[in-house]
Amino acid sequence: MITIHSWPRAIMHMDADAFFASCEQAIHPELRGRPVITGKERGIVAAASYEAKAMGVERGMRLFEAKKVCPDVVLLPSDYETYSLFSIRMFEILRRFSPDVEEYSIDEVFVDLTGLRRSFHGPYSDIAGRIQDTVARELGISVSIGVSLTKVLAKVASKYKKPGGLTVIPGRDIHRYLSNLPVGKVWGIGANTSAFLRKFNVITALEFAGCKEEFIKAYLSKPYQEIWHELNGRSVYPVIRESKSSYKSISKTKTFTPPSMDETFIFAQLSKNLENACIKARRHKLAASRLILFLRMQDFRDRGIELKLNRPTSFPAELTGLLRKGFREIYRRGTLYRSTGVILAGLIPVGTVQYTLFDDVPGIEKMARIYSAVDELSCRFGKHTVQHASSLPARVQSQHEGERGDVPVRKVELFKGENKRQKIGIPVLNVKV
């Protein structure tokens, strides 16, 4: 049994419930209480409301299968711009309560509540409850919250009761919440590790937490040793305030409907993937050492290639030639393709890139100034205000045609002064009168 009788740290994990679908229900009140699915443009369920889940709809399910199990389901195209706005607003609400907020993903966040009981005149459960109420009142979405001594235990707590749950695991009750939890359900423990632990009759999270430290050190690597400490109430993982800026890789993919065998169009999609990936890399001041590209065929098989760069870079102009070469290696004429993807790998900080004697340093610096201007224009007038010619065919032809070509309401009903790429930065309630 694990018994800790104080709160050395109080970490909160908040997980938005069915986030994308909840955002749609929040801005379209007529959809509340109805089964809603997003991902219409992709042909699969990207997110499902709890009403749809109750009918048997699962994430990743093909839309025709979802309609079979839930004929009344409302299919919507994904509106990631709006979801991002909700996410930003959610993080802003949390910073009113604590400066220590870690944006773990678009719909998940860790908050360090340690030491705030006096400021808010109540226990940690009350602070978490106030946060939950504020998010519901201001954004119209429900969130599940877990509070405990460590990040791993807070994740266990937030998943304990969904949707709209609020679970607090104090030190003295840790064993209660871990006793029936399969070890494979613990954040950071995958199928292979849980299968390995099963060989030693370690089935539950509590049995894992109860293992001798000698066993953990002898058989498991450092990440699992850290999880073991966290499950025992000893905080190892800090709540990181800074926005995520370190990436091992950046990937950008694009699915299009109907599938195409048009070489120019498919390469244009790939080129746009490259531009998008490079924009993100430059935003975080990173440069790629390797370029990976792939094409997905209509039967979901992939063909890809990995290319090593002579010098790390995040300028598409320096990569387009290599992209074209790789594309010719993997493209098969007469084949139907449904999506393309680019991965920038081996990312390093731009400041650490070293030039060789054969590099054209003045030319590289000139290129940096050009892309600095491009990024500034994008910031002022919207993404892809300036675009590579190789990507233009992707812009001329719509990404999806037919039923999947529906665009989110927010992209059609613009306010005065808005355009397709520049919109006001708050979620907008859409009420039909």
Side-chain angles (χ1 to χ4, degrees), residues 248-316:
K248 291 181 180 176
S249 64
I250 292 173
S251 65
K252 293 291 178 183
T253 60
K254 185 71 78 178
T255 302
F256 38 86
T257 315
S260 175
M261 57 177 71
D262 182 332
E263 183 175 349
T264 303
F265 173 74
I266 295 167
F267 182 74
Q269 293 288 357
L270 202 61
S271 175
K272 196 173 177 184
N273 294 148
L274 177 67
E275 285 197 81
N276 284 329
C278 286
I279 287 171
K280 186 170 181 179
R282 293 199 299 276
R283 190 189 311 145
H284 295 292
K285 303 186 186 315
L286 297 170
S289 305
R290 303 193 311 277
L291 173 65
I292 301 165
L293 52 143
F294 64 88
L295 305 177
R296 177 159 295 172
M297 291 171 265
Q298 179 61 0
D299 59 4
F300 288 89
R301 286 183 299 128
D302 291 339
R303 286 185 62 86
I305 188 170
E306 179 172 335
L307 304 163
K308 189 174 179 182
L309 311 182
N310 292 330
R311 173 178 52 77
T313 181
S314 56
F315 304 140

Side-chain angles (χ1 to χ4, degrees), residues 48-295:
S49 67
Y50 277 86
E51 294 83 358
K53 288 180 181 178
M55 298 291 289
V57 175
E58 296 176 356
R59 190 176 177 188
M61 186 181 271
R62 297 196 183 189
L63 293 186
F64 72 87
E65 294 172 328
K67 290 206 76 168
K68 276 185 186 175
V69 300
C70 185
D72 297 330
V73 73
V74 179
L75 306 177
L76 297 173
S78 301
D79 181 4
Y80 295 110
E81 200 168 341
T82 294
Y83 310 151
S84 295
L85 288 175
F86 269 85
S87 181
I88 291 168
R89 294 287 162 177
M90 191 167 70
F91 298 144
E92 286 175 353
I93 289 172
L94 292 167
R95 289 195 175 90
R96 293 183 214 158
F97 290 85
S98 171
D100 297 318
V101 173
E102 179 180 336
E103 301 173 11
Y104 184 67
S105 70
I106 191 169
D107 60 348
E108 283 188 67
V109 60
F110 288 99
V111 184
D112 192 340
L113 302 178
T114 311
L116 296 180
R117 284 180 292 191
R118 183 174 297 174
S119 304
F120 288 95
H121 309 291
Y124 293 124
S125 57
D126 284 2
I127 302 172
R130 288 171 63 176
I131 290 173
Q132 196 174 37
D133 292 342
T134 306
V135 172
R137 186 176 63 254
E138 296 190 15
L139 297 180
I141 62 173
S142 83
V143 295
S144 295
I145 288 181
V147 181
S148 192
L149 284 67
T150 68
K151 290 172 80 170
V152 171
L153 287 170
K155 283 273 280 187
V156 170
S158 68
K159 290 185 182 300
Y160 188 74
K161 185 184 176 188
K162 285 176 79 65
L166 170 53
T167 304
V168 178
I169 305 180
R172 64 178 178 277
D173 288 340
I174 292 174
H175 63 282
R176 285 181 47 215
Y177 290 88
L178 301 188
S179 59
N180 293 318
L181 180 68
V183 69
K185 296 285 185 184
V186 173
W187 179 40
I189 296 183
N192 286 336
T193 306
S194 62
F196 170 77
L197 290 169
R198 262 201 306 276
K199 297 183 187 306
F200 295 90
N201 290 321
V202 177
I203 311 298
T204 69
L206 185 61
E207 289 168 341
F208 177 64
C211 288
K212 300 283 187 189
E213 188 168 5
E214 294 77 17
F215 170 84
I216 299 294
K217 285 185 174 177
Y219 291 104
L220 297 172
S221 58
K222 187 180 177 186
Y224 301 104
Q225 295 171 24
E226 291 173 343
I227 293 170
W228 176 78
H229 280 293
E230 289 252 325
L231 284 176
N232 278 285
R234 296 185 289 272
S235 179
V236 177
Y237 299 138
V239 172
I240 302 167
R241 283 193 201 187
E242 293 77 19
S243 299
K244 186 174 180 181
S245 60
S246 61
Y247 293 86
K248 291 181 180 176
S249 64
I250 292 173
S251 65
K252 293 291 178 183
T253 60
K254 185 71 78 178
T255 302
F256 38 86
T257 315
S260 175
M261 57 177 71
D262 182 332
E263 183 175 349
T264 303
F265 173 74
I266 295 167
F267 182 74
Q269 293 288 357
L270 202 61
S271 175
K272 196 173 177 184
N273 294 148
L274 177 67
E275 285 197 81
N276 284 329
C278 286
I279 287 171
K280 186 170 181 179
R282 293 199 299 276
R283 190 189 311 145
H284 295 292
K285 303 186 186 315
L286 297 170
S289 305
R290 303 193 311 277
L291 173 65
I292 301 165
L293 52 143
F294 64 88
L295 305 177

Side-chain angles (χ1 to χ4, degrees), residues 359-375:
D359 284 329
D360 174 16
V361 177
I364 295 168
E365 291 174 347
K366 185 178 178 183
M367 184 84 70
R369 288 197 295 275
I370 291 172
Y371 276 101
S372 176
V374 169
D375 292 339

Side-chain angles (χ1 to χ4, degrees), residues 411-431:
K411 290 193 175 181
V412 178
E413 298 176 356
L414 301 174
F415 289 96
K416 186 178 180 182
E418 289 187 322
N419 59 47
K420 283 171 63 179
R421 301 181 183 282
Q422 289 276 288
K423 304 189 188 75
I424 61 171
I426 57 171
V428 176
L429 185 69
N430 189 297
V431 182

